[in-house]
Protein backbone atom coordinates (compact mmCIF):
# COMPACT_ATOMS: atom_id res chain seq x y z
CA UNK A 1 0.00 0.00 0.00
CA UNK A 2 1.34 3.46 -0.95
CA UNK A 3 2.27 5.89 1.88
CA UNK A 4 -0.29 8.35 0.48
CA UNK A 5 -2.99 5.74 0.96
CA UNK A 6 -2.19 5.41 4.67
CA UNK A 7 -2.40 9.19 5.04
CA UNK A 8 -5.67 9.27 3.12
CA UNK A 9 -7.24 6.66 5.41
CA UNK A 10 -5.99 8.60 8.44
CA UNK A 11 -7.51 11.86 7.20
CA UNK A 12 -10.78 10.21 6.30
CA UNK A 13 -10.90 8.64 9.76
CA UNK A 14 -10.47 12.08 11.33
CA UNK A 15 -13.05 13.63 9.04
CA UNK A 16 -15.55 10.87 9.79
CA UNK A 17 -15.43 11.86 13.46
CA UNK A 18 -16.16 15.51 12.74
CA UNK A 19 -19.62 16.92 12.67
CA UNK A 20 -20.31 18.97 9.56
CA UNK A 21 -19.84 22.40 11.07
CA UNK A 22 -21.18 24.34 8.11
CA UNK A 23 -24.39 24.18 6.16
CA UNK A 24 -24.62 24.38 2.38
CA UNK A 25 -27.12 26.83 0.89
CA UNK A 26 -28.23 26.53 -2.73
CA UNK A 27 -28.28 29.92 -4.47
CA UNK A 28 -29.48 28.60 -7.83
CA UNK A 29 -32.85 28.70 -9.57
CA UNK A 30 -33.93 25.53 -11.37
CA UNK A 31 -32.87 25.34 -15.01
CA UNK A 32 -36.12 24.36 -16.70
CA UNK A 33 -38.83 25.50 -19.09
CA UNK A 34 -39.47 28.35 -16.61
CA UNK A 35 -35.92 29.71 -17.02
CA UNK A 36 -35.86 33.42 -17.76
CA UNK A 37 -33.78 34.69 -20.69
CA UNK A 38 -33.11 38.15 -22.06
CA UNK A 39 -35.33 38.80 -25.10
CA UNK A 40 -33.87 37.43 -28.31
CA UNK A 41 -32.48 34.23 -26.81
CA UNK A 42 -33.92 30.82 -27.73
CA UNK A 43 -36.09 29.17 -25.11
CA UNK A 44 -34.93 26.30 -22.97
CA UNK A 45 -35.18 22.90 -24.67
CA UNK A 46 -35.48 19.72 -22.62
CA UNK A 47 -36.12 16.51 -24.55
CA UNK A 48 -36.51 13.07 -23.00
CA UNK A 49 -34.49 10.60 -25.08
CA UNK A 50 -35.15 7.58 -22.88
CA UNK A 51 -37.05 7.04 -19.66
CA UNK A 52 -38.30 3.64 -18.70
CA UNK A 53 -37.55 -0.04 -18.29
CA UNK A 54 -35.24 -1.57 -20.88
CA UNK A 55 -35.42 -4.99 -22.48
CA UNK A 56 -32.54 -5.90 -20.18
CA UNK A 57 -34.77 -5.39 -17.17
CA UNK A 58 -33.14 -2.26 -15.74
CA UNK A 59 -34.39 1.32 -15.59
CA UNK A 60 -32.67 3.83 -17.89
CA UNK A 61 -32.96 7.63 -18.32
CA UNK A 62 -31.22 9.98 -20.73
CA UNK A 63 -32.17 13.48 -21.85
CA UNK A 64 -31.10 16.25 -24.18
CA UNK A 65 -31.11 19.87 -23.14
CA UNK A 66 -30.35 23.05 -25.02
CA UNK A 67 -29.94 26.49 -23.49
CA UNK A 68 -28.53 29.91 -24.23
CA UNK A 69 -25.55 30.73 -22.03
CA UNK A 70 -27.16 33.75 -20.39
CA UNK A 71 -30.35 32.51 -18.78
CA UNK A 72 -31.52 31.70 -15.28
CA UNK A 73 -28.79 31.56 -12.63
CA UNK A 74 -25.67 31.99 -14.72
CA UNK A 75 -22.23 33.54 -15.00
CA UNK A 76 -21.13 36.16 -17.51
CA UNK A 77 -17.56 35.62 -18.61
CA UNK A 78 -15.47 38.79 -18.98
CA UNK A 79 -15.46 38.23 -22.75
CA UNK A 80 -19.25 38.73 -22.79
CA UNK A 81 -18.75 42.50 -23.08
CA UNK A 82 -15.02 42.98 -23.68
CA UNK A 83 -12.74 41.67 -26.41
CA UNK A 84 -9.73 39.50 -25.55
CA UNK A 85 -10.77 38.77 -21.98
CA UNK A 86 -11.39 35.44 -20.28
CA UNK A 87 -13.89 33.14 -21.91
CA UNK A 88 -15.67 30.63 -19.72
CA UNK A 89 -13.16 27.80 -20.01
CA UNK A 90 -10.15 29.93 -19.05
CA UNK A 91 -11.51 31.70 -15.99
CA UNK A 92 -9.12 30.51 -13.24
CA UNK A 93 -11.13 28.20 -11.01
CA UNK A 94 -9.73 29.89 -7.90
CA UNK A 95 -11.52 33.05 -9.07
CA UNK A 96 -14.88 31.30 -8.75
CA UNK A 97 -14.77 30.98 -4.96
CA UNK A 98 -14.50 33.64 -2.29
CA UNK A 99 -15.84 35.14 0.92
CA UNK A 100 -19.48 36.08 0.51
CA UNK A 101 -20.40 39.75 0.75
CA UNK A 102 -24.16 40.28 0.53
CA UNK A 103 -25.24 43.90 0.04
CA UNK A 104 -28.82 44.19 1.29
CA UNK A 105 -30.71 46.95 -0.53
CA UNK A 106 -34.17 45.39 -0.31
CA UNK A 107 -35.81 48.39 1.31
CA UNK A 108 -34.32 50.81 -1.21
CA UNK A 109 -35.29 48.58 -4.15
CA UNK A 110 -38.84 48.31 -2.80
CA UNK A 111 -39.12 52.10 -2.95
CA UNK A 112 -37.31 52.49 -6.28
CA UNK A 113 -37.30 49.66 -8.80
CA UNK A 114 -34.48 51.38 -10.73
CA UNK A 115 -32.23 51.58 -7.66
CA UNK A 116 -28.48 51.27 -8.28
CA UNK A 117 -26.20 50.08 -5.48
CA UNK A 118 -24.03 52.98 -4.31
CA UNK A 119 -20.56 53.31 -2.83
CA UNK A 120 -22.28 54.39 0.38
CA UNK A 121 -24.08 51.02 0.47
CA UNK A 122 -20.69 49.29 0.42
CA UNK A 123 -19.26 51.60 3.06
CA UNK A 124 -22.28 50.97 5.25
CA UNK A 125 -21.59 47.21 4.94
CA UNK A 126 -17.95 47.83 5.89
CA UNK A 127 -18.96 49.93 8.89
CA UNK A 128 -20.68 46.83 10.28
CA UNK A 129 -18.46 43.97 9.08
CA UNK A 130 -15.08 45.64 8.43
CA UNK A 131 -13.40 45.97 5.05
CA UNK A 132 -14.59 43.75 2.21
CA UNK A 133 -12.26 40.74 2.35
CA UNK A 134 -9.75 39.89 -0.36
CA UNK A 135 -11.05 37.96 -3.39
CA UNK A 136 -14.64 38.43 -2.28
CA UNK A 137 -17.79 37.47 -4.14
CA UNK A 138 -19.99 40.53 -3.79
CA UNK A 139 -23.71 40.09 -4.51
CA UNK A 140 -26.59 42.54 -4.35
CA UNK A 141 -29.67 41.31 -2.49
CA UNK A 142 -32.60 43.40 -3.70
CA UNK A 143 -35.26 40.82 -2.84
CA UNK A 144 -35.87 40.33 -6.56
CA UNK A 145 -35.06 36.62 -6.34
CA UNK A 146 -38.49 36.14 -4.75
CA UNK A 147 -40.12 37.20 -8.03
CA UNK A 148 -38.51 34.41 -10.02
CA UNK A 149 -39.61 32.70 -12.33
CA UNK A 150 -42.44 35.11 -13.23
CA UNK A 151 -40.91 37.06 -16.13
CA UNK A 152 -43.33 39.97 -15.82
CA UNK A 153 -42.40 40.40 -12.15
CA UNK A 154 -38.67 39.85 -12.69
CA UNK A 155 -38.44 42.36 -15.55
CA UNK A 156 -41.09 44.45 -13.77
CA UNK A 157 -43.13 45.11 -16.89
CA UNK A 158 -46.26 44.00 -18.70
CA UNK A 159 -44.07 43.54 -21.82
CA UNK A 160 -41.29 41.10 -20.83
CA UNK A 161 -40.16 40.76 -24.46
CA UNK A 162 -39.46 44.51 -24.75
CA UNK A 163 -36.26 45.40 -22.90
CA UNK A 164 -36.96 49.13 -23.15
CA UNK A 165 -39.73 48.66 -20.57
CA UNK A 166 -37.60 46.85 -17.97
CA UNK A 167 -37.32 48.26 -14.44
CA UNK A 168 -35.18 46.36 -11.92
CA UNK A 169 -32.30 47.29 -9.58
CA UNK A 170 -28.62 46.56 -10.00
CA UNK A 171 -25.17 48.15 -9.63
CA UNK A 172 -24.14 51.74 -10.31
CA UNK A 173 -21.11 52.01 -12.57
CA UNK A 174 -19.31 54.30 -10.09
CA UNK A 175 -19.72 51.63 -7.42
CA UNK A 176 -18.17 49.03 -9.71
CA UNK A 177 -15.28 51.38 -10.53
CA UNK A 178 -14.69 51.78 -6.78
CA UNK A 179 -14.80 48.02 -6.14
CA UNK A 180 -12.35 47.38 -8.97
CA UNK A 181 -9.89 50.09 -7.93
CA UNK A 182 -10.19 50.00 -4.13
CA UNK A 183 -10.99 46.37 -3.27
CA UNK A 184 -10.16 42.84 -4.44
CA UNK A 185 -13.15 40.97 -5.86
CA UNK A 186 -13.45 37.66 -7.69
CA UNK A 187 -17.09 37.86 -8.81
CA UNK A 188 -19.80 40.52 -8.69
CA UNK A 189 -23.43 39.45 -8.81
CA UNK A 190 -27.11 40.28 -8.51
CA UNK A 191 -30.43 38.57 -7.85
CA UNK A 192 -31.86 40.38 -10.91
CA UNK A 193 -31.40 39.53 -14.61
CA UNK A 194 -28.46 41.90 -15.20
CA UNK A 195 -25.53 43.56 -13.46
CA UNK A 196 -26.75 46.74 -15.16
CA UNK A 197 -30.09 48.11 -14.01
CA UNK A 198 -33.18 47.52 -16.11
CA UNK A 199 -33.23 50.88 -17.90
CA UNK A 200 -29.57 50.74 -18.96
CA UNK A 201 -28.97 51.10 -22.69
CA UNK A 202 -25.15 51.10 -22.75
CA UNK A 203 -24.35 48.42 -20.12
CA UNK A 204 -21.40 50.19 -18.47
CA UNK A 205 -21.16 47.72 -15.58
CA UNK A 206 -20.80 44.77 -17.97
CA UNK A 207 -18.07 46.66 -19.85
CA UNK A 208 -16.19 47.61 -16.67
CA UNK A 209 -16.31 44.05 -15.34
CA UNK A 210 -15.17 42.64 -18.68
CA UNK A 211 -12.28 45.08 -18.94
CA UNK A 212 -11.16 44.12 -15.42
CA UNK A 213 -11.51 40.38 -16.21
CA UNK A 214 -14.09 39.96 -13.44
CA UNK A 215 -17.01 37.56 -14.06
CA UNK A 216 -20.56 38.57 -13.21
CA UNK A 217 -23.26 36.36 -11.71
CA UNK A 218 -26.94 37.04 -12.47
CA UNK A 219 -30.29 35.73 -11.22
CA UNK A 220 -28.72 34.50 -7.97
CA UNK A 221 -31.37 32.82 -5.78
CA UNK A 222 -32.19 32.42 -2.10
CA UNK A 223 -29.98 35.20 -0.78
CA UNK A 224 -32.00 35.65 2.39
CA UNK A 225 -30.71 32.23 3.50
CA UNK A 226 -27.10 33.40 3.76
CA UNK A 227 -25.71 36.03 6.17
CA UNK A 228 -24.48 39.36 4.86
CA UNK A 229 -20.96 38.34 5.98
CA UNK A 230 -19.26 35.10 7.01
CA UNK A 231 -20.12 32.70 4.20
CA UNK A 232 -18.01 31.28 1.40
CA UNK A 233 -19.60 31.35 -2.06
CA UNK A 234 -18.85 28.98 -4.94
CA UNK A 235 -19.79 29.78 -8.55
CA UNK A 236 -19.66 26.41 -10.33
CA UNK A 237 -20.19 27.53 -13.91
CA UNK A 238 -20.34 24.93 -16.67
CA UNK A 239 -16.90 24.89 -18.32
CA UNK A 240 -17.97 25.73 -21.87
CA UNK A 241 -15.02 25.97 -24.24
CA UNK A 242 -14.89 29.43 -25.86
CA UNK A 243 -18.05 30.39 -23.97
CA UNK A 244 -19.12 33.91 -23.09
CA UNK A 245 -20.79 32.56 -19.95
CA UNK A 246 -22.87 29.62 -18.90
CA UNK A 247 -25.36 28.13 -16.46
CA UNK A 248 -23.94 27.99 -12.93
CA UNK A 249 -24.70 26.06 -9.77
CA UNK A 250 -24.03 28.76 -7.19
CA UNK A 251 -23.95 27.79 -3.52
CA UNK A 252 -22.63 28.99 -0.20
CA UNK A 253 -21.21 27.36 2.89
CA UNK A 254 -22.28 28.99 6.15
CA UNK A 255 -20.61 28.12 9.48
CA UNK A 256 -22.80 26.51 12.11
CA UNK A 257 -22.17 27.87 15.59
CA UNK A 258 -21.64 24.52 17.27
CA UNK A 259 -18.41 23.95 19.18
CA UNK A 260 -19.29 20.48 20.43
CA UNK A 261 -16.85 18.85 18.01
CA UNK A 262 -14.02 21.12 19.16
CA UNK A 263 -13.03 21.63 15.54
CA UNK A 264 -13.26 24.79 13.50
CA UNK A 265 -15.05 25.23 10.18
CA UNK A 266 -11.70 26.01 8.58
CA UNK A 267 -10.00 22.87 9.92
CA UNK A 268 -12.81 20.62 8.73
CA UNK A 269 -12.62 22.21 5.29
CA UNK A 270 -8.81 21.89 5.11
CA UNK A 271 -8.86 18.24 6.16
CA UNK A 272 -11.50 17.40 3.58
CA UNK A 273 -9.55 19.21 0.85
CA UNK A 274 -6.35 17.39 1.83
CA UNK A 275 -8.15 14.07 1.62
CA UNK A 276 -9.52 14.99 -1.80
CA UNK A 277 -6.08 16.01 -3.11
CA UNK A 278 -4.52 12.77 -1.89
CA UNK A 279 -7.33 10.78 -3.48
CA UNK A 280 -6.67 12.50 -6.82
CA UNK A 281 -2.95 11.69 -6.58
CA UNK A 282 -3.62 8.04 -5.76
CA UNK A 283 -6.06 7.46 -8.61
Amino acid sequence: MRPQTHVLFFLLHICSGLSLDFKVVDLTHDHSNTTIYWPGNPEYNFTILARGNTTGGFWYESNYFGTAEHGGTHLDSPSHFYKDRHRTHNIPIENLIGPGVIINVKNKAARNADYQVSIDDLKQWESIYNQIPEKAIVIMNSGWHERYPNASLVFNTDSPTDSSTFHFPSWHEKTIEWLISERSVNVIGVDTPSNDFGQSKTFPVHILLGQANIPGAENVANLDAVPEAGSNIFVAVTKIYDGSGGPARIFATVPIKDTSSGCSHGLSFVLLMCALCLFIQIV
Side-chain angles (χ1 to χ4, degrees):
M1 184 179 291
R2 302 181 192 178
Q4 296 99 318
T5 308
H6 288 291
V7 177
L8 173 63
F9 287 157
F10 175 71
L11 287 173
L12 290 174
H13 175 71
I14 294 175
C15 291
S16 67
L18 299 175
S19 61
L20 189 65
D21 51 3
F22 59 89
K23 65 178 179 178
V24 181
V25 180
D26 194 355
L27 303 178
T28 312
H29 294 295
D30 289 344
H31 218 66
S32 70
N33 58 7
T34 66
T35 294
I36 292 177
Y37 297 93
W38 201 263
N41 284 290
E43 294 183 358
Y44 179 74
N45 178 359
F46 182 85
T47 302
I48 296 173
L49 302 179
R51 182 173 295 181
N53 290 310
T54 67
T55 55
F58 55 86
W59 182 267
Y60 179 73
E61 294 189 13
S62 180
N63 309 298
Y64 165 87
F65 73 93
T67 179
E69 294 172 321
H70 303 278
T73 303
H74 70 281
L75 190 74
D76 290 351
S77 302
S79 66
H80 185 36
F81 268 75
Y82 211 89
K83 187 178 180 181
D84 297 328
R85 293 299 188 264
H86 285 146
R87 293 192 172 122
T88 310
H89 74 282
N90 50 24
I91 299 172
I93 195 165
E94 61 269 21
N95 291 3
L96 298 175
I97 176 176
V101 172
I102 309 301
I103 307 299
N104 186 336
V105 295
K106 291 194 294 183
N107 290 336
K108 295 175 181 178
R111 293 192 298 268
N112 176 13
D114 295 319
Y115 186 75
Q116 295 172 271
V117 181
S118 68
I119 297 172
D120 284 343
D121 291 322
L122 299 183
K123 289 184 175 180
Q124 181 180 2
W125 187 97
E126 291 192 334
S127 72
I128 301 170
Y129 303 110
N130 298 319
Q131 184 169 305
I132 291 171
E134 293 285 305
K135 302 183 183 301
I137 294 183
V138 185
I139 302 177
M140 174 195 77
N141 180 6
S142 68
W144 234 250
H145 55 273
E146 296 176 356
R147 300 175 176 228
Y148 201 94
N150 186 315
S152 293
L153 294 178
V154 169
F155 291 124
N156 198 26
T157 176
D158 292 330
S159 304
T161 59
D162 180 0
S163 61
S164 69
T165 68
F166 292 175
H167 292 274
F168 56 79
S170 197
W171 295 97
H172 194 284
E173 61 194 276
K174 294 295 183 183
T175 309
I176 297 303
E177 288 175 348
W178 186 86
L179 274 172
I180 291 170
S181 64
E182 301 297 328
R183 298 293 182 265
S184 166
V185 293
N186 276 353
V187 177
I188 289 173
V190 288
D191 58 349
T192 56
S194 173
N195 274 304
D196 282 284
F197 81 122
Q199 282 292 291
S200 177
K201 302 298 185 291
T202 56
F203 306 102
V205 170
H206 280 79
I207 294 169
L208 286 166
L209 291 177
Q211 184 178 28
N213 244 346
I214 296 173
E218 296 171 337
N219 291 315
V220 183
N222 205 24
L223 288 170
D224 290 336
V226 292
E228 294 179 5
S231 70
N232 284 303
I233 295 179
F234 303 75
V235 184
V237 63
T238 303
K239 193 176 181 181
I240 301 172
Y241 182 81
D242 253 5
S244 69
R249 187 68 180 266
I250 302 178
F251 61 95
T253 58
V254 180
I256 297 172
K257 295 180 180 178
D258 179 4
T259 59
S260 59
S261 67
C263 186
S264 70
H265 173 225
L267 179 57
S268 297
F269 186 78
V270 168
L271 288 171
L272 287 169
M273 290 302 100
C274 289
L276 176 61
C277 290
L278 281 170
F279 174 77
I280 292 171
Q281 288 182 1
I282 292 169
V283 298

